Amino acid sequence: MASVPSLASSVDQRVADALASALPEAGATDPLLRRSDRADFQANGILALAKKAKANPRELATTVVEAIATGDLIREIEVSGPGFLNITVTDRAIIETLAARAADDRLGVALAANPGTTVIDYAQPNVAKEMHVGHLRSAVIGAAMVEILEFTGETVVRRHHIGDWGTQFGMLIQYLLEHPHELDHKSDEEVSGEEAMSNLNRLYKASRAVFDSDEEFKTRARARVVGLQAGEPETLALWQRFVDESKIYFYSVFNKLDMDIQDEDVVGESGYNDMLVETCKLLEDSGVAVRSNGALCVFFDEYKGQDGNPTPLIVQKSDGGFGYAATDLSAIRDRVGNLKASTLLYVVDARQSLHFKMVFETARRAGWLNDEVKAVQLAFGTVLGKDGKPFKTREGETVRLVDLLDEAVERATTVVRDKDAERGLLTEEEIVENGLQVGIGAVKYADLSTSAARDYKFDLDQMVSLTGDTSVYLQYAYARIRSILRNAGDRSPVAHPELELAPAERALGLHLDAFGALVEEAAAEYAPHKVAAYLYQLASLFTTFYTECPVVKPQPELVVGENRLFLCELTARTLDKGMSLLGIRTPEKL
C-alpha cells in the first residue's frame, strides 16, 4: 500500500501553499511546523519570511491565515505572539488518518525515496577472547540500526569484523601444535559456548605462561607468526581451529542476546589479507601515503601529537607488518567495490574516533570515498557501573557478557513471577519465556534509550523496574492492550471519524500519527534512542488515555467503545513494530 501522509505533512503543505500565495516573490518557504503545547501545531516560518520581505510579521500572518481553508483538515488557526500560527486539526482528520495507517501492514510508514546500500560494521568480538560488557553496545546498537534501515527500504549488508589475525596467534598456534588435544571436545555432541570458551581460556593462559617463561618457545611462536602470514597450510589449519572454536562461543552469546548472526556476515581481519599489499601500493603510487623511517604513513595537518608534530596513520610498519589501518582501508575498498555500498556505517567505540577520522580521510584522498559513497562512525560511549566508573567486577576485572545477561534474565524472571503471583495468569513455562524476553529486552533498551555517544550506567535494578523509562514498562503496556482486546467481548476495534475526541484520545492519536516521521528521522540520523523515546511517550500517553477514557468498563456507548478499541489496537501494533526495530520482543501476556 502507499504510505500515509502524516497530519503534520498535510498541515505543512497547506501553510506552505498559503505562504506562497501571500508572498509569491519569496518562492518556496518552509513553514517551520512543530508540535505545540498551545495547539496541535505551531508554524514559526513567517517571522523569517517577514524579515526577508521587510513586512510586518503579524500582518503577513493574518494574510496567510485568510488564505487557509478550514473544515476538513484544519479546525482552527490563529495568529499568536509576533507572528506565530497556532493550528488545531479536526478530530475527523485524526481518526481518518489513523484508519488509513491501520489498514496498512507498514502502519502507513513511507519507504525511503532513494534507498541505497549500507554496510554496517558491528558486533566485532576477538577470536580466542571472552566477550565482555564493552562488546554489548556495538552489537545492540548495530542490530537496531539494521532493523531501522531495512524497514525504510535500505539494502543492508551486515559485517562482523572479528579480530582473527595478529601476532598473538603465533603463541596460541605453537602451543596447540605442541599440545594437540587442548581444544578437543568432551563428547561428539553439540558443544556449548561455555565449554568452547573455557577451552580457549585455558589454552590462552597456558600458552601465555610458557611464552613469558621459555625463550625457546617464544622464538618458535614468533616463527609461527611468519608461517601464518605466509599462509603455511598446517599453521592455517590450526589457526582455523581457534576461529571455529571461538565462533561456537560467539554464536552462543549472540543467541542469548536474541540476535541473528549468519556465518557469511562474519568477515574478520583475515578476510582482507590478500588485498593489503595492493592497498599499500595504490596509496603509495598515488602519493596519498609516503615512506617515513621505513614505514608507510599518511600525514594530516590537523592531527598532531603532544609534541606538536603531526600524528600519522601508519598503514605499513617499517618491518613490513600491516597495522589496523591497512585492514580497514582494504575493507573500505571491498565494501565499495564489491558490495557496491553507498554508505559505510561503523558502530565502534568513541575512543577509536581519531583512527576512523584518519582512515576515512585517507580513503577520500584515494578516491574510494566520494560524494556518492560516505563513511560514518556511529560512535558510542562507555558502559559505567552504578558508581559512574567504567563497569568492572569487585575484583577489578571486566565483566563477562554472559554473566551479565544471565543475571538480567534471572532478575527479570523474578519480577515476572512476583507480578504474576497476584493474578496467576501465566504457566511456569510462560514465566520462564517471558523472563527471558524481559531480561534481554531490559539490557537492550537501557543501552538504546541513551544517545549512543553518551556513557550510560548499567543498573539492573532500574532496568527491570516496572515503572519509569524501561522496556518492561513498554512490554507491560503492550501485554495490557492485548488483554483489553481479548476481553472486549462482542465489541470490535472500529474507527469512527464522526466522533468528537476527548483530549487524551487526541493526544494519543496525534502521537500515533507521528510514527512514520520518527522512523525516517531515526534512520537518517542513526539514532535508535529516538525510537525508544517515542515508544516511552506512546506508552505514557496510552496510560493517561486508558485512565481517562473508559474502553470496556464501565461500558461507554457502542461507537465510542469501538473507536477506543481501535486506538488501543493501533497503539499495540505501533508498540510492537517499534520494539521490533530495537530488537526487543513483546510478550502477548505478562
Side-chain angles (χ1 to χ4, degrees):
M1 235 178 105
S3 64
V4 177
S6 67
L7 291 162
S9 66
S10 301
V11 169
D12 189 271
Q13 190 59 57
R14 291 275 177 100
V15 178
D17 291 347
L19 279 168
S21 70
L23 262 184
E25 64 275 18
T29 303
D30 184 351
L32 298 177
L33 193 77
R34 58 181 180 81
R35 288 298 308 277
S36 167
D37 296 336
R38 306 187 169 203
D40 295 336
F41 301 101
Q42 188 174 71
N44 299 340
I46 285 173
L47 298 181
L49 186 62
K51 194 173 177 185
K52 200 163 103 182
K54 297 188 170 47
N56 177 308
R58 266 196 81 91
E59 283 176 14
L60 179 58
T62 307
T63 309
V64 169
V65 167
E66 285 166 1
I68 296 176
T70 56
D72 58 337
L73 171 66
I74 294 171
R75 184 174 81 199
E76 195 180 338
I77 180 164
E78 60 174 19
V79 179
S80 154
F84 301 131
L85 298 183
N86 285 343
I87 302 161
T88 304
V89 294
T90 64
D91 293 350
R92 173 176 287 279
I94 293 174
I95 296 299
E96 282 178 348
T97 302
L98 295 183
R101 292 198 177 288
D104 179 35
D105 289 344
R106 292 176 50 82
L107 300 170
V109 177
L111 289 163
N114 298 300
T117 297
T118 297
V119 176
I120 302 191
D121 188 324
Y122 69 109
Q124 313 104 342
N126 293 309
V127 163
K129 287 191 180 166
E130 188 114 38
M131 287 175 74
H132 55 79
V133 67
H135 290 110
L136 180 66
R137 300 207 73 186
S138 177
V140 170
I141 295 167
M145 280 318 309
V146 168
E147 295 298 329
I148 291 167
L149 288 171
E150 284 190 333
F151 187 55
T152 66
E154 186 79 357
T155 299
V156 176
V157 181
R158 301 156 173 80
R159 275 291 172 268
H160 308 294
H161 190 90
I162 62 170
D164 65 353
W165 205 249
T167 52
Q168 75 276 17
F169 283 99
M171 172 184 91
L172 295 168
I173 291 166
Q174 189 60 35
Y175 189 86
L176 185 59
L177 190 70
E178 296 175 18
H179 304 80
H181 299 296
E182 282 298 300
L183 285 184
D184 290 356
H185 297 145
K186 291 176 193 159
S187 70
D188 294 336
E189 288 173 26
E190 197 174 329
V191 184
S192 70
E194 203 63 43
E195 187 191 327
M197 195 61 241
S198 106
N199 284 346
L200 290 163
N201 267 339
R202 190 180 64 250
L203 195 151
Y204 191 89
K205 282 175 184 161
S207 65
R208 170 55 71 185
V210 182
F211 187 85
D212 290 344
S213 62
D214 182 339
E215 282 303 317
E216 288 182 1
F217 176 80
K218 190 179 277 190
T219 304
R220 293 196 299 278
R222 284 180 171 153
R224 190 60 59 187
V225 176
V226 178
L228 177 65
Q229 289 174 339
E232 281 176 13
E234 181 191 33
T235 305
L236 276 179
L238 290 167
W239 167 81
Q240 190 63 49
R241 286 193 66 189
F242 283 100
V243 174
D244 292 343
E245 195 77 5
S246 298
K247 279 184 175 178
I248 295 170
Y249 163 69
F250 296 157
Y251 293 167
S252 74
V253 178
F254 289 129
N255 197 36
K256 264 187 206 290
L257 261 174
D258 196 14
M259 275 175 57
D260 179 31
I261 302 270
Q262 298 294 330
D263 221 38
E264 63 268 22
D265 302 332
V266 180
V267 183
E269 291 167 17
S270 64
Y272 306 100
N273 283 349
D274 295 346
M275 300 175 70
L276 300 179
V277 171
E278 189 186 12
T279 295
C280 290
K281 187 174 185 319
L282 289 167
L283 291 171
E284 193 168 10
D285 289 353
S286 63
V288 171
V290 293
R291 292 280 165 189
S292 175
N293 299 325
L296 185 64
C297 303
V298 183
F299 288 93
F300 308 87
D301 293 339
E302 62 268 44
Y303 306 128
K304 292 186 168 58
Q306 288 172 333
D307 56 6
N309 292 324
T311 304
L313 182 70
I314 299 171
V315 185
Q316 189 177 22
K317 300 174 210 163
S318 52
D319 65 2
F322 299 102
Y324 288 125
T327 308
D328 286 334
L329 288 162
S330 299
I332 288 175
R333 284 178 56 213
D334 174 63
R335 292 166 184 183
V336 175
N338 298 327
L339 301 177
K340 306 296 179 219
S342 46
T343 304
L344 306 178
L345 184 63
Y346 291 78
V347 187
V348 185
D349 192 314
R351 287 170 292 195
Q352 294 187 47
S353 292
L354 178 60
H355 168 77
F356 278 101
K357 276 180 186 156
M358 293 164 110
V359 165
F360 295 162
E361 177 55 29
T362 300
R364 267 191 289 276
R365 290 180 188 177
W368 304 329
L369 296 175
N370 50 44
D371 292 345
E372 275 73 54
V373 188
K374 64 174 180 173
V376 181
Q377 183 192 356
L378 204 180
F380 55 81
T382 308
V383 181
L384 306 174
K386 284 187 195 180
D387 58 2
K389 294 176 182 162
F391 198 18
K392 303 270 196 230
T393 62
R394 285 201 184 109
E395 298 73 42
E397 301 285 314
T398 50
V399 181
R400 294 170 74 223
L401 187 49
V402 276
D403 293 345
L404 193 130
L405 298 176
D406 288 344
E407 191 184 347
V409 169
E410 200 178 305
R411 296 269 194 101
T413 307
T414 303
V415 168
V416 172
R417 181 174 276 116
D418 290 351
K419 177 86 173 164
D420 189 61
E422 307 160 18
R423 302 167 306 161
L425 294 177
L426 305 173
T427 64
E428 179 58 25
E429 196 181 335
E430 286 171 330
I431 288 171
V432 170
E433 178 62 25
N434 286 353
L436 201 61
Q437 295 185 12
V438 169
I440 297 304
V443 170
K444 288 183 177 181
Y445 187 85
D447 191 320
L448 294 168
S449 58
T450 307
S451 165
R454 289 174 53 198
D455 300 342
Y456 82 99
K457 285 184 185 174
F458 196 96
D459 180 349
L460 272 177
D461 293 328
Q462 172 55 33
M463 287 179 188
V464 297
S465 166
L466 295 170
T467 55
D469 188 2
T470 65
S471 74
V472 198
Y473 174 65
L474 300 177
Q475 285 167 320
Y476 265 102
Y478 174 79
R480 185 182 183 190
I481 301 172
R482 300 306 308 167
S483 166
I484 292 165
L485 293 165
R486 280 194 299 272
N487 297 330
D490 55 359
R491 298 189 170 207
S492 351
V494 180
H496 286 281
E498 73 280 6
L499 291 176
E500 195 175 314
L501 299 178
E505 291 174 301
R506 295 186 103 258
L508 178 62
L510 286 164
H511 193 64
L512 282 168
D513 183 51
F515 183 59
L518 170 276
V519 170
E520 189 182 338
E521 192 178 319
E525 296 175 18
Y526 307 122
H529 70 280
K530 293 198 166 182
V531 177
Y534 171 90
L535 295 173
Y536 176 59
Q537 198 183 347
L538 178 61
S540 305
L541 287 167
F542 178 80
T543 303
T544 305
F545 155 78
Y546 191 64
T547 306
E548 293 180 8
C549 304
V551 177
V552 180
K553 295 175 187 171
Q555 278 205 338
E557 186 190 333
L558 180 64
V559 289
V560 173
E562 287 180 342
N563 199 57
R564 287 175 182 170
L565 281 171
F566 162 73
L567 287 171
C568 287
E569 185 177 63
L570 189 56
T571 301
R573 283 178 59 194
T574 307
L575 275 172
D576 183 51
K577 184 70 230 177
M579 291 289 264
S580 80
L581 294 179
L582 300 180
I584 300 173
R585 294 186 187 269
T586 41
E588 292 291 303
K589 286 199 292 185
L590 254 180

